[in-house]
Amino acid sequence: MRTRAHREAMLVAMLVTMLITMALTAAVSGQITVPSTPPPQTRAGGNITTTAPAGPVPRKPNGQPDLTGVWLRRAGVADIAQLLPQGEKMPVLPETLRRMRALKAQDDPQLKCLPLETPRSSPYPFRIVETGTHVFILTESVHAFRQVFMDGRTHPPADELQPSWQGHSIGRWDGGTLVVDTVGFNALTWLDNYGHLHSDRMHVIERFTRSDLGHLSTEITVDDPGAYSRPFTLQYTAS
């Protein structure tokens, strides 16, 4: 059996240990400086606060605008309907609306790190890379990419088209605008965080126009008779 003196000695030892620990912690804390305000955002992504560069449209040797570079699209992430012309609404078919009403936030394929198909946006940058035969669109989100064939080919016949996350894209130049035509999507993704759905019949035409050094204007026409009553057009500017 422990004596009273032994118990008192143990308590004194515990108290001394606590005092030493507190002193060491205070010493370390005194060496840490926490800024009163967060540093400015400088990286290309998330809540970016940098200003788009000013200047003329850069051009390739053949005179076409050079779209190469890193771009950030800030609009339509939460609800793609925000990109419609003023006064328009999404022409959702009744069956599509019924399916949307049954969705839950946790059903969003993005939460499973699945690819985001066009025209869905993310709050992270994308990079355009041009070659003689392709245009590549690389996205920071889930490290996905799109390839756009620029060699004059057409889409495969419908019975040979394999549905995929990004679809099959072919491109051409219309003056100073890059036109990208995409079909062959699967129906496993959403068009935005809100939960606008689409079908595997979706056909998307994008028109990319570089208006100056720091801005890329985009017009997207979506024709999906499997989910919407008519085609609709979205517009945004990346910088």
Side-chain angles (χ1 to χ4, degrees):
M1 180 180 294
R2 294 178 177 175
T3 64
R4 178 177 179 180
H6 181 64
R7 291 196 298 271
E8 290 178 348
M10 291 182 62
L11 290 173
V12 170
M14 292 174 61
L15 180 59
V16 171
T17 300
M18 290 175 61
L19 291 174
I20 293 174
T21 301
M22 292 172 63
L24 290 174
T25 300
V28 172
S29 299
Q31 300 172 17
I32 300 174
T33 301
V34 180
S36 57
T37 57
Q41 294 285 343
T42 56
R43 75 180 191 86
N47 298 321
I48 191 168
T49 58
T50 55
T51 303
V57 175
R59 297 187 180 275
K60 295 175 286 190
N62 63 3
Q64 289 175 343
D66 187 350
L67 306 187
T68 300
V70 177
W71 302 97
L72 179 65
R73 165 184 164 185
R74 296 177 173 84
V77 177
D79 186 351
I80 205 169
Q82 297 169 345
L83 306 182
L84 291 169
Q86 188 173 4
E88 284 196 20
K89 295 182 179 180
M90 294 287 285
V92 183
L93 288 173
E95 175 59 20
T96 306
L97 185 59
R98 183 194 65 80
R99 292 172 54 211
M100 289 173 58
R101 285 174 173 166
L103 296 175
K104 298 178 181 179
Q106 58 265 34
D107 297 330
D108 189 345
Q110 180 182 211
L111 300 181
K112 301 177 178 63
C113 295
L114 296 175
L116 306 183
E117 82 304 321
T118 188
R120 185 165 185 174
S121 175
S122 77
Y124 304 105
F126 63 93
R127 178 184 291 275
I128 294 180
V129 179
E130 295 188 66
T131 73
T133 58
H134 294 76
V135 170
F136 296 97
I137 302 176
L138 317 177
T139 58
E140 180 178 323
S141 177
V142 302
H143 306 292
F145 72 92
R146 298 172 59 196
Q147 64 172 348
V148 181
F149 296 103
M150 299 292 293
D151 54 6
R153 73 180 66 190
T154 59
H155 293 303
D159 58 350
E160 297 179 11
L161 195 60
Q162 183 67 38
S164 62
W165 298 103
Q166 302 294 348
H168 183 273
S169 296
I170 56 177
R172 61 180 177 84
W173 285 94
D174 180 10
T177 296
L178 173 65
V179 181
V180 178
D181 185 306
T182 307
V183 297
F185 296 98
N186 61 37
L188 303 178
T189 56
W190 296 6
L191 297 183
D192 51 23
N193 297 357
Y194 184 80
H196 282 107
L197 301 176
H198 67 91
S199 75
D200 58 5
R201 299 168 64 187
M202 183 169 71
H203 180 189
V204 176
I205 296 180
E206 298 158 287
R207 298 178 63 87
F208 298 94
T209 305
R210 191 166 192 171
S211 52
D212 56 31
L213 179 62
H215 297 90
L216 182 70
S217 300
T218 305
E219 179 183 280
I220 308 173
T221 299
V222 179
D223 185 5
D224 184 4
Y228 299 90
S229 61
R230 59 171 175 79
F232 56 92
T233 299
L234 313 167
Q235 293 181 324
Y236 72 87
T237 298
S239 58

